[in-house]
Amino acid sequence: MGIFDYLLKKGKPNTAAVAKERLQIIVAHERRKRSQPDYLPMMQQEILEVIRKYVHIADDDVSVQLENSEDCSVLELNITLPEK
Amino acid sequence: MAKIIVVTSGKGGVGKTTSSAAIATGLALAGHKTVVIDFDVGLRNLDLIMGCERRVVYDFVNVINKEATLNQALIKDKRTNNLYILPASQTRDKDALTMEGVQKVLDDLSKDYDFIICDSPAGIEQGAQMALYFADEAIVVTNPEVSSVRDSDRILGILQSKSMRAEKGQSVKEHLLLTRYNPERVATAEMLSVADVEEILAVPLLGVIPESEAVLKASNQGAPVILDTESNAGKAYSDAVKRLLGEEVPHRFLDVEKKGFFKRLLGGK
């Protein structure tokens, strides 16, 4: 790297840090999805349909998550009902 | 019993075949009887990298379909003792490889060889899954670049869930091989560092291969780059092979090479 490169480099953003941060987020997200059983998306869809028989909700108003800790698994079901 | 090692990555063009050729050659140079298998059916290229493209008569699919024996299809490397190549077929039939067929070939090779290196195709389709299914160990080739790191994580997930060892409740030993590494660009924060990639993937580091002109020169000539013992890439592959064999070798070529004052001032390479 020559003297001119040094002069030009000032104020250049740290793109490697941006890459690392983006990767950490997406990789964590994809690992979470991976560790979930295959039936989860289908179950989420069916729960959605049952609720829709009674109230009108959007696709993303139901979230299903399986948390695995050491000796137990918790199935967390989160439904956002519309305000009256 | 041979040790089966898959060289995989998810993403294409990161250096799977270059690494398979170099590592297989390194293992053979260390005295281990080694065979390297090209799993990239339809896009055969290991033969070119190994410099034996004109000696291919029968291939992997011929052996599976019993159109040829294993010994007819195996090509003995001309440069390196103890080294054999099983080329991929150029057929366009995607289902040419069958699980039973691959298992039979690997079982037969297992009796005579110390190491079986499986050069995986890119992607996560059937060919790639077949290449990793029977593996005892996996070398995940990664470039310090976002899409390659993400795809490596994806392939690690497949190794941990869809390999034979995973199905049996065992684990596949994973190794990270970081290729096309450019210490200058890491120093200027333009490229992910070894530590960054290690932190994201959390896989033990087998080696770091610096970006090197020697790799293209080697593939031009059809001689695995590990044979270019003067080049940094060749030396880095030799170190990686030693680590694969259990030796502890310090990592080299991670930092910017020190240049003389004038060279630095003038920006010479």
Side-chain angles (χ1 to χ4, degrees):
Chain A
M1 190 164 308
I3 195 162
F4 300 109
D5 298 303
Y6 272 112
L7 292 173
L8 288 170
K9 206 177 64 194
K10 274 197 172 167
K12 212 191 237 178
N14 181 343
T15 57
V18 178
K20 185 181 177 185
E21 199 191 323
R22 291 175 60 216
L23 271 170
Q24 278 172 324
I25 294 167
I26 190 69
V27 163
H29 177 74
E30 287 175 346
R31 277 183 195 159
R32 242 192 331 271
K33 264 198 349 213
R34 211 154 67 202
S35 60
Q36 291 179 344
D38 298 340
Y39 61 75
L40 223 56
M42 203 134 89
M43 193 174 76
Q44 177 162 357
Q45 194 56 42
E46 282 184 41
I47 292 170
L48 198 67
E49 276 159 29
V50 171
I51 296 168
R52 273 193 188 147
K53 284 185 185 170
Y54 305 95
V55 275
H56 187 76
I57 52 169
D59 276 4
D60 52 5
D61 285 341
V62 171
S63 81
V64 181
Q65 240 164 27
L66 192 70
E67 300 275 337
N68 287 310
S69 59
E70 270 175 32
D71 53 355
C72 69
S73 302
V74 177
L75 183 70
E76 192 184 297
L77 191 62
N78 224 316
I79 307 161
T80 317
L81 292 176
E83 285 179 43
K84 279 184 186 165
Chain B
M1 270 298 276
K3 193 175 267 180
I4 303 175
I5 303 176
V6 61
V7 178
T8 185
S9 70
K11 190 176 182 298
V14 296
K16 280 182 297 298
T17 302
T18 300
S19 299
S20 298
I23 288 166
T25 305
L27 288 168
L29 285 172
H32 302 281
K33 200 173 176 195
T34 304
V35 56
V36 53
I37 308 177
D38 191 348
F39 272 80
D40 204 346
V41 171
L43 292 168
R44 165 163 88 208
N45 274 319
L46 180 70
D47 55 338
L48 267 181
I49 302 300
M50 297 290 297
C52 64
E53 69 277 8
R54 299 188 57 183
R55 294 164 63 209
V56 176
V57 183
Y58 295 109
D59 58 54
F60 197 8
V61 171
N62 292 141
V63 178
I64 286 176
N65 294 339
K66 300 201 169 70
E67 293 149 5
T69 65
L70 200 45
N71 282 329
Q72 283 176 308
L74 284 169
I75 302 169
K76 189 179 186 315
D77 193 81
K78 278 202 168 150
R79 296 185 192 86
T80 313
N81 257 334
N82 304 318
L83 182 59
Y84 293 79
I85 300 115
L86 184 57
S89 163
Q90 285 290 47
T91 173
R92 289 167 69 181
D93 175 13
K94 269 187 163 183
D95 303 318
L97 294 183
T98 60
M99 207 57 116
E100 299 75 35
V102 172
Q103 180 157 32
K104 172 87 171 56
V105 171
L106 292 179
D107 283 347
D108 288 346
L109 288 170
S110 225
K111 292 170 198 151
D112 295 329
Y113 289 82
D114 301 322
F115 286 98
I116 302 173
I117 306 297
C118 303
D119 180 19
S120 171
I124 52 171
E125 302 295 311
Q126 195 230 20
Q129 295 204 15
M130 206 77 88
L132 67 77
Y133 185 75
F134 299 99
D136 299 309
E137 299 190 17
I139 297 173
V140 179
V141 183
T142 308
N143 289 168
E145 175 270 329
V146 285
S147 48
S148 174
V149 175
R150 180 201 210 170
D151 291 358
S152 292
D153 192 68
R154 193 81 203 279
I155 213 82
L156 285 164
I158 293 172
L159 277 162
Q160 289 155 9
S161 62
K162 298 214 171 112
S163 62
M164 189 170 76
R165 289 183 80 92
E167 285 174 0
K168 285 187 192 165
Q170 301 165 317
S171 64
V172 176
K173 191 174 178 192
E174 299 159 350
H175 307 273
L176 172 64
L177 186 68
L178 200 57
T179 57
R180 307 198 71 167
Y181 195 68
N182 187 330
E184 276 91 11
R185 303 197 75 183
V186 173
T188 54
E190 289 173 69
M191 185 181 264
L192 291 164
S193 69
V194 186
D196 291 340
V197 181
E198 275 187 284
E199 192 186 324
I200 295 162
L201 294 178
V203 172
L205 185 66
L206 179 69
V208 179
I209 313 299
E211 173 99 83
S212 166
E213 289 164 8
V215 175
L216 181 60
K217 271 190 218 159
S219 75
N220 284 343
Q221 295 170 293
V225 69
I226 199 168
L227 296 173
D228 184 352
T229 50
E230 297 297 303
S231 71
N232 288 355
K235 290 175 191 167
Y237 273 118
S238 292
D239 289 355
V241 169
K242 285 182 190 161
R243 288 187 204 105
L244 196 60
L245 292 168
E247 223 177 292
E248 271 196 39
V249 186
H251 290 279
R252 295 192 270 179
F253 319 115
L254 303 187
D255 298 310
V256 181
E257 272 179 70
K258 297 263 189 301
K259 290 179 200 155
F261 175 74
F262 283 107
K263 247 189 173 176
R264 281 234 304 268
L265 192 68
L266 301 170
K269 274 208 167 178

